Amino acid sequence: MRKQSHMTGRMAVTDTLDWNTKTAIAQGNYKTPFDVLGSHTGIVQGQSVWIVRAFLPGALSASVVLEARTRSHGRINTDVLPMQMIHPAGLFSMIVLSAEPYPYVLDVQRQVGEIERVADPYSFPPILSDYDLHLIGEGTHLELYKRLGAHPCEVRGVRGISFAVWAPNARRVSVVGDFNNWDERAYPMRLHPNGVWEIFLPNLPLGTLYKFAILSAAGDYRVLKSDPFAFAAELRPGTASKVWDLEGYQWGDAEWEEKRTEHNAETAAISVYELHVGSWKHPSASDTTQVTYRDLAHQLVPYIKDLGYTHVELLPVAEHPFDGSWGYQVTGYYTPTSRYGTPQDFMYFVDQCHQHGIGVLLDWVPAHFPKDEHGLRYFDGSHLYEHADPRRGEHPEWGTQVFNFGRNEVRNFLTANALFWFDAYHIDGLRVDAVASMLYLDYSRTDGEWLPNRYGGRENLEAIAFLRECNENVRARYPHVLMIAEESTAWPKVTAPVAEGGLGFSLKWNMGWMHDILEYMRYDPVHRSHHHNELTFSFAYAHSEKFILALSHDEVVHIKGSMLNKMPGDLWQKFANLRVLYAFMYAHPGKKLLFMGGEMGQWSEWNFAGFLDWFVLEEETQNGMYHRKLRDFVRDLNTLLRTEVALHECDFLPEGFEWIDGSDTQNSVIAFVRYGYEKADPLLFVCNFTPVPRPNYRIGAPVAGRYMEVLNSDGERYGGSNVINASLKTERVAQHGQKQSLVLTLPPLGVLALKPAKPVKSATRANKHVSKKNSVVVMPDDAVDEK
């Protein structure tokens, strides 16, 4: 056999690679490295040759080592083929006369006497299939996170990590990390026509830190970027991505998943405890302040289960560099923040919640992203994820970038991300942040700072299409999860199906109710009669959307005051007012949400850098008693919500609500009824928003007979003055459009929930269908007052 001159000295065959290509490889500027590096066959000087090239910065020498079976072919009579350095930066070449390539590895000597045997990344074929590339190119790959990013896998019997990233406008993308001394020249990636780069790096361990080194098309922009699809990340202030395997966790929540449809149903009792992971409670170990997902599970789950909450909603846990953003400026959309543990630790948290009957909702931020250099901004030397024009691509109020929702790949990135949290972490719903900022092109912008749509309007047509597309895809794959819109305007049909012209959300935060009721509650009760409309207006649109009533984190920061400190009056009145507010929220149609700390009435505003004021519950004073009794009250509200179908079965149906009297402005009293299906199981609510007890207060009643108090916010057990109604029976006195009425003593700053002593059941509850024509009230035999 004829061999290379540097092997045998006979029949010299020279590598004809031109100097410019060698230099471009050595400088890390070559766009198609797989055309040069690795194994190739061809014709050189009229001879069929096999060429292996490797770029090994810092190497002193290298050899191609053939696998043992190669020699059985009889073509090559040695298993070690020395390579020749053809560029001083560390570019090596080996050529032999052969018409076919052979399996091989490399022996690399980086220091005198030390030889490392490695697999050549450029000897492996592409990982991504043509079908994957097609779907990625058209922006419809709903499992994009299984293809892009970093994934442990085995190729040709070799374990390693496949890396893939979308960067269509880059000249070169390479993978860097400790494994190659962060040298961006070392592992340039293969480019596919749709702008996806990929490479398989053998023998990298899990936990490896890495980034993508980007060189712009013009060659004037070099940057290290975190992986947009990374499953794990380096602990801040580090910004590297971390190779991770999401497989292997043994979930124990099969029963919950099977019954998710019941937990998230429109007819279900849903009461959400909103929480910021890092500032809820000191870790159970006294020698650390480091909150962890696992410790949170052990402390939080029994706490909120005892209080009767059905779901917990976490402020964003996706990776973010700045603690002060509370998680709303995301750089790692597929990464649970490493602040609190590993991905499997977060799985454990979700699993524990599910095993104890608690759903898990996450805040999700598809509206905007921060400008941190390692993040999505100007990702490949171009405005890839954001609009180039700042009138579309900048969010002036938050100093962030706005996603380019008109780009297929960007919509795919976000839609796949929503699906990812349901798939990988069994999440029960996403609360979509800042939807209003997505819907309107002029949101928080003055004239000249925004561009109209193609019809001259202010609606962001691309964002609207994205929200509909995302919700439709979520609904198709995970029909029983919740998609919740934080939307603060009067945009119509937010929760209507896409097929009916809606956005397709499951629920919408009722921001109007929140604003009006908090303004109303701030007034001294003596002035509330002048602001009665702020109390009652929300009932006019209560069924226009599927609402969730939220007293969220946004209401207890930035000098707005804690929930307790918003209330007027002395100590007793502050707590009484807060009980009235919470009772009114639970009586009002809609699902419920309360931010942590509100359940105990802490005095301080929320501080993301601290913990809740748990000490208020431990004070052996009247103050401490009030805090403890307020928490008891919240527990009983949740119990009432779960046990009384009238409070949840018809939240979104007008038939589930009936005014008794909303016009008593002078006394600041309102009364209404909540019903279950077919007007069954009525609950009569009477709310007194002044500190004046009102004896002999006549109120119309929906059915005749005896009533009992099932809730009195003024009860002694809640810290109230204990003005109660021990025995109630209707009289045949028409009032408020009802044939019968009750005479009550209204407690000061109190809410009464009254229930007929004998249940009023619907004959057609089983079909769970409300018909205006066929609504029937089934009266108990002794319901008629014999007075």
Side-chain angles (χ1 to χ4, degrees), residues 313-435:
E313 180 178 312
L314 306 181
L315 271 62
V317 297
E319 193 59 79
H320 52 281
F322 178 45
D323 289 10
S325 76
W326 314 336
Y328 288 96
Q329 296 192 7
V330 178
T331 52
Y333 275 81
Y334 290 79
T335 308
T337 178
S338 58
R339 289 166 173 79
Y340 313 123
T342 68
Q344 278 75 11
D345 292 336
F346 184 61
M347 292 176 187
Y348 179 85
F349 169 80
V350 176
D351 198 11
Q352 287 298 302
C353 287
H354 285 175
Q355 290 185 41
H356 291 84
I358 299 165
V360 180
L361 311 175
L362 295 186
D363 261 5
W364 185 51
V365 193
H368 63 117
F369 58 91
K371 296 181 178 180
D372 297 72
E373 185 180 63
H374 68 281
L376 297 177
R377 180 177 185 258
Y378 211 62
F379 188 81
D380 63 354
S382 72
H383 297 282
L384 190 63
Y385 286 89
E386 71 275 16
H387 282 279
D389 191 321
R391 291 172 294 178
R392 286 282 185 94
E394 296 268 353
H395 197 297
E397 182 179 0
W398 300 324
T400 53
Q401 303 284 169
V402 178
F403 280 104
N404 183 353
F405 300 108
R407 190 159 197 166
N408 293 341
E409 297 91 340
V410 173
R411 293 198 309 273
N412 195 174
F413 170 79
L414 292 169
T415 299
N417 183 237
L419 295 169
F420 164 79
W421 290 104
F422 299 125
D423 178 19
Y425 291 101
H426 296 199
I427 297 303
D428 299 287
L430 296 176
R431 176 265 198 186
V432 185
D433 181 62
V435 171

Side-chain angles (χ1 to χ4, degrees), residues 470-481 483 504-506:
C470 181
N471 285 331
E472 285 282 85
N473 279 304
V474 168
R475 185 76 60 215
R477 289 202 166 202
Y478 300 96
H480 305 306
V481 302
M483 293 294 285
F505 283 97
S506 314

Side-chain angles (χ1 to χ4, degrees), residues 224-393:
L224 298 184
K225 290 289 188 179
S226 299
D227 181 358
F229 287 86
F231 291 153
E234 184 181 18
L235 181 64
R236 70 191 188 306
T239 57
S241 300
K242 185 181 290 188
V243 173
W244 207 262
D245 190 352
L246 296 184
E247 300 299 322
Y249 182 80
Q250 299 298 313
W251 288 90
D253 64 346
E255 182 179 354
W256 169 273
E257 295 234 295
E258 289 173 4
K259 295 182 178 180
R260 179 182 280 143
T261 180
E262 300 173 17
H263 301 301
N264 287 352
E266 293 181 3
T267 58
I270 294 179
S271 176
V272 182
Y273 188 78
E274 189 189 28
L275 175 128
H276 177 258
V277 172
S279 59
W280 180 65
K281 194 172 189 180
H282 193 285
S284 54
S286 59
D287 59 347
T288 181
T289 59
Q290 180 58 55
V291 175
T292 67
Y293 294 122
R294 289 179 181 262
D295 186 65
L296 180 68
H298 296 154
Q299 294 201 77
L300 177 70
V301 168
Y303 180 78
I304 60 176
K305 186 174 179 64
D306 171 66
L307 289 181
Y309 283 98
T310 64
H311 294 69
V312 60
E313 180 178 312
L314 306 181
L315 271 62
V317 297
E319 193 59 79
H320 52 281
F322 178 45
D323 289 10
S325 76
W326 314 336
Y328 288 96
Q329 296 192 7
V330 178
T331 52
Y333 275 81
Y334 290 79
T335 308
T337 178
S338 58
R339 289 166 173 79
Y340 313 123
T342 68
Q344 278 75 11
D345 292 336
F346 184 61
M347 292 176 187
Y348 179 85
F349 169 80
V350 176
D351 198 11
Q352 287 298 302
C353 287
H354 285 175
Q355 290 185 41
H356 291 84
I358 299 165
V360 180
L361 311 175
L362 295 186
D363 261 5
W364 185 51
V365 193
H368 63 117
F369 58 91
K371 296 181 178 180
D372 297 72
E373 185 180 63
H374 68 281
L376 297 177
R377 180 177 185 258
Y378 211 62
F379 188 81
D380 63 354
S382 72
H383 297 282
L384 190 63
Y385 286 89
E386 71 275 16
H387 282 279
D389 191 321
R391 291 172 294 178
R392 286 282 185 94

Side-chain angles (χ1 to χ4, degrees), residues 60-61 107-117:
L60 301 178
S61 65
D107 275 357
V108 181
Q109 186 176 27
R110 298 188 185 276
Q111 298 180 29
V112 176
E114 294 187 10
I115 295 178
E116 179 185 7
R117 179 158 293 180

